């Protein structure tokens, strides 16, 4: 009588957007988890949105510790930017008045994004990501970078099969509308994948076990796309495993009002380390399946 061994659960690590401080917090969380022997870097799929695309690249290239050390330096590796949350939300809210279709909503945000001019030969984010990561090839392990077409609002996840240079894909995913100019992908102006969702966690829907790092709470419902609460509810209703580690009050205080400021990178990274320590046993049990 023959027996078939149970297949290993397919795992996914979802890294959400959150600006420069979000990069620092996620690196803080991941560095502590890896240090404690929780192999989240072995995920079958990593999904990165905006800040998460930068961190996801570091995960796949084995550079989490290097990335963490950078958070303790005075100089940021990203172009200078700033954001006033209230003004930003007001601008987006005005653009979305009366919209009923999610893709059309994203296209309206794209129209705003396309107004930000490129200074120099190319967007600063492209130059920065090229310097940061070089012309390294996409990793062999599954990695998806989330972007949105700034002309028609189409959601465009990019991966090794997309034919797009990795550093350019990450730059596009980080191009926050009205802050930084769009990045050209296949001749199309392309912007931050966070325009659709802060995490785009639904891209990991066909994986058995999903760990999400979210840099802050998401709305229950959004006119732009699926929200993390919706994805979590659907997974749990279907009996599929998901664990969300959301930036806690300590982390949010460390972020400050401007998540694009490099001044709070170190406090954000340290907050990530502390939060990872607090949830370490829970994450280990979830990731290894010992909680089942």
């Amino acid at each position: 009588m023959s027996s078939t061994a149970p297949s290993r659960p397919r795992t996914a690590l979802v890294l959400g957007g959150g600006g420069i401080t979000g990069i620092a917090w996620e690196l803080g969380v991941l560095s502590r988890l890896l240090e404690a022997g929780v192999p989240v870097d072995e995920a079958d799929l990593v999904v990165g949105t905006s800040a998460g695309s930068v961190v996801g690249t570091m995960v796949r290239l084995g550079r989490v510790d290097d990335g963490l050390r950078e958070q303790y330096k005075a100089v940021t590796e990203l172009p200078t930017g700033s954001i006033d949350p209230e003004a930003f939300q007001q601008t987006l809210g005005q653009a979305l008045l009366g919209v009923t279709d999610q893709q059309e909503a994203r296209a309206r945000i794209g129209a705003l994004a396309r107004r930000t001019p490129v200074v120099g030969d190319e967007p600063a984010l492209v130059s920065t990501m090229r310097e940061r990561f070089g012309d390294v090839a996409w990793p062999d392990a599954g990695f998806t970078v989330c972007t949105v077409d700034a002309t028609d609002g189409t959601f465009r996840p990019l991966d090794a099969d997309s034919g797009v240079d990795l550093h350019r894909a990450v730059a596009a995913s980080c191009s926050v509308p009205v802050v930084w100019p769009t990045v050209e992908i296949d001749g199309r102006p392309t912007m931050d994948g966070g325009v659709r969702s802060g995490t785009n966690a639904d891209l990991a829907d066909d994986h058995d076990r999903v760990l999400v790092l979210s840099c802050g709470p998401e709305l229950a419902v959004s006119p732009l796309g699926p929200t993390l609460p919706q994805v979590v509810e659907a997974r749990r209703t279907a009996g599929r495993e998901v664990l969300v580690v959301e930036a806690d009050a300590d982390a949010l205080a460390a972020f400050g009002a401007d998540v694009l400021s490099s001044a709070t990178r170190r406090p954000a990274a340290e907050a990530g380390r502390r939060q990872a320590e607090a949830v370490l046993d829970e994450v280990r049990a979830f990731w290894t399946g010992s909680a089942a």
Side-chain angles (χ1 to χ4, degrees), residues 4-235:
T4 302
S7 60
R8 181 181 66 84
R10 298 179 69 225
T11 56
L13 174 64
V14 175
L15 303 170
I20 290 176
T21 57
I23 291 174
W25 176 78
E26 289 180 359
L27 286 169
V29 172
L30 292 172
S31 67
R32 181 64 190 109
L33 293 176
L34 292 170
E35 181 180 270
V38 184
V40 290
D41 57 338
E42 296 178 3
D44 295 295
L45 173 67
V46 173
V47 176
T49 297
S50 200
S53 71
V54 175
V55 177
T57 302
M58 294 179 183
V59 170
R60 282 314 198 203
L61 297 180
R63 299 182 187 176
V64 170
D65 287 341
D66 291 341
L68 179 66
R69 283 190 288 270
E70 290 172 357
Q71 307 312 305
Y72 290 80
K73 297 178 182 178
V75 179
T76 176
E77 72 276 11
L78 294 178
T80 300
S82 63
I83 190 168
D84 180 328
E86 291 187 11
F88 183 74
Q89 291 300 325
Q90 185 175 22
T91 298
L92 299 192
Q94 287 293 323
L96 296 176
L97 285 175
V99 71
T100 58
D101 178 80
Q102 291 180 338
Q103 184 173 333
E104 170 59 26
R106 297 192 294 267
R108 291 190 187 185
I109 303 300
L112 294 177
R114 299 198 310 274
R115 296 177 187 172
T116 303
V118 175
V119 178
D121 295 332
E122 65 181 358
L125 281 171
V126 175
S127 304
T128 299
M129 295 305 175
R130 181 186 295 110
E131 294 170 3
R132 177 68 185 79
F133 298 119
D135 288 322
V136 64
W138 284 82
D140 292 332
F143 182 37
T144 298
V145 171
C146 299
T147 71
V148 171
D149 187 305
T151 299
D152 63 12
T154 300
F155 179 51
R156 187 175 181 191
L158 302 173
D159 58 23
D161 296 327
S162 65
V164 177
D165 290 337
L166 177 59
H167 72 270
R168 182 170 287 272
V170 174
S173 187
C174 290
S175 57
V176 181
V178 310
V179 176
W180 288 312
T182 59
V183 173
E184 187 174 295
I185 300 291
D186 294 336
R188 305 280 292 184
T190 307
M191 61 183 173
D192 192 335
V195 170
R196 176 180 183 262
S197 165
T199 56
N200 292 295
D202 57 307
L203 290 189
D205 202 44
D206 61 349
H207 285 64
D208 304 299
R209 187 175 297 153
V210 178
L211 173 64
V212 183
L213 297 192
S214 172
C215 296
E218 289 188 30
L219 296 173
V221 179
S222 168
L224 295 164
T227 68
L228 181 57
Q230 290 173 326
V231 173
V232 168
E233 181 180 5
R235 286 192 66 87

